[in-house]
């Protein structure tokens, strides 16, 4: 019987996965061919304004259950599992940081992460409440205000997943993962050389949710990070370094439970502009006339 460790807002859970290696052995092998990502038509190329969504049942028959996330007796782990399975896929924030004394270099993945602005380039990473002391990455951000955000590609995922291990504070996940350090210019933490895209960043603000603090657990918080430098692998970018080739990035997204997802196909959709679309659509024209009247 093998064990897979998950860290979540309620407490560290050790899920006993019965004969996981036997189950995994029956699955198809991972496709290492690096075949080009297919670009297909959109799901409904003939869609028109007002068409809604084509589903297997009338929208009126779909029912939902209302959930108060703060209902007494509802375990927070239920909210965690609901959110990570329902908000998917999610990018992985792979952060490198350094301790305040400079003696320990930390490397860890986070699923509560996102880019939120491009001018200036801003990112947010959140840290869940957990039993005992706060996560090393969070402590390092609070102490030093510096980090590097590294992207995660398919070929890195085992090494990245290994850095989520609950290692003692003085042990560096760089050694555990076997990933290689690359120099930075505006922050002390090193970037991951294997990452296609890395961002040096400094903390602008930290918000802690003390109103939800529970005795014996660390405080949940979010860090707002402003980029100070970009690092892009040369063979993965265009001449102006304004675009990264998806076939080189090969990003991995987090899903619910212990599942990850890869991109095998994409499709394009134009962003609509009212002035272009209104003359071509009876619905938009009618709506415009109703507004004027």
């Amino acid at each position: 019987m093998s064990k897979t460790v998950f860290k979540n807002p309620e407490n560290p859970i050790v899920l006993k996965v019965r004969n996981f290696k036997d189950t995994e052995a029956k699955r198809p092998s991972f496709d290492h061919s690096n075949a080009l990502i297919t670009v297909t038509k959109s799901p409904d190329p003939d869609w028109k304004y007002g068409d809604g969504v084509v589903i297997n049942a009338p929208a009126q028959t779909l029912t939902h259950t209302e959930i108060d996330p703060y209902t007494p007796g509802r375990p927070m782990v239920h909210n965690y599992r609901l959110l990570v399975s329902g908000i998917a896929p999610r990018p992985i924030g792979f952060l490198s940081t350094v301790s305040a004394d400079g003696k320990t270099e930390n490397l860890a993945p986070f699923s509560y992460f996102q880019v939120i602005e491009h001018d200036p380039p801003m990112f947010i990473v959140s840290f869940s409440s957990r039993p005992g002391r706060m996560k090393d990455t969070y402590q390092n951000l609070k102490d030093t205000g510096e980090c590097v955000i590294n992207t995660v590609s398919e070929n890195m995922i085992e090494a990245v997943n290994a850095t989520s291990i609950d290692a003692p504070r003085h042990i560096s996940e760089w050694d555990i993962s076997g990933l290689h350090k690359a120099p930075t210019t505006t922050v002390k933490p090193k970037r991951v050389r294997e990452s296609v895209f890395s961002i040096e960043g400094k903390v602008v603000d930290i918000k802690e949710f003390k109103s939800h603090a529970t005795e014996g657990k660390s405080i949940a918080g979010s860090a707002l990070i402003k980029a100070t430098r970009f690092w892009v692998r040369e063979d993965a970018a265009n001449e102006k370094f304004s675009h990264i080739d998806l076939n080189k990035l090969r990003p991995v997204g987090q899903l619910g439970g212990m599942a990850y997802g890869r991109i095998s196909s994409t499709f394009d959709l134009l962003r609509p502009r009212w002035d272009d679309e209104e003359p071509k659509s009876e619905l938009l024209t009618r709506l415009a006339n109703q507004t004027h009247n």
Side-chain angles (χ1 to χ4, degrees), residues 103-115:
K103 295 181 179 179
T104 304
E105 296 176 284
N106 188 262
L107 191 60
F110 294 89
S111 64
Y112 293 162
F113 159 80
Q114 190 54 271
V115 54

Side-chain angles (χ1 to χ4, degrees), residues 142-254:
K142 293 183 68 173
D143 291 342
T144 69
E146 296 184 347
C147 70
V148 179
I149 302 168
N150 306 277
T151 58
V152 177
S153 298
E154 294 173 357
N155 61 348
M156 300 170 56
I157 192 60
E158 280 85 6
V160 172
N161 186 62
T163 66
S164 66
I165 192 170
D166 54 341
R169 187 172 177 82
H170 66 281
I171 293 179
S172 172
E173 290 81 6
W174 286 95
D175 297 327
I176 293 172
S177 69
L179 293 168
H180 296 87
K181 301 173 187 176
T184 50
T185 57
T186 65
V187 298
K188 290 183 179 178
K190 299 296 189 294
R191 57 188 170 88
V192 177
R193 187 175 295 279
E194 288 84 352
S195 290
V196 171
F197 185 35
S198 295
I199 302 107
E200 297 180 26
K202 296 191 177 183
V203 174
V204 173
D205 193 18
I206 289 180
K207 171 66 176 179
E208 293 190 332
F209 305 99
K210 296 182 180 179
S211 60
H212 290 271
T214 304
E215 185 176 356
K217 294 186 178 181
S218 62
I219 297 175
S222 295
L224 188 63
I225 299 168
K226 179 180 178 181
T228 55
R229 287 292 188 278
F230 296 148
W231 292 86
V232 186
R233 206 176 75 192
E234 293 183 0
D235 70 310
N238 62 358
E239 185 178 349
K240 295 181 178 179
F241 287 92
S242 61
H243 179 78
I244 295 176
D245 185 349
L246 189 61
N247 284 289
K248 297 293 180 65
L249 183 62
R250 297 276 176 178
V252 175
Q254 283 197 306

Side-chain angles (χ1 to χ4, degrees), residues 71-91:
T71 300
R74 177 178 171 84
M76 284 298 103
V77 68
H78 287 187
N79 291 338
Y80 165 76
R81 290 172 177 168
L82 180 67
L83 290 171
V84 298
S85 62
I87 310 299
R90 301 180 311 283

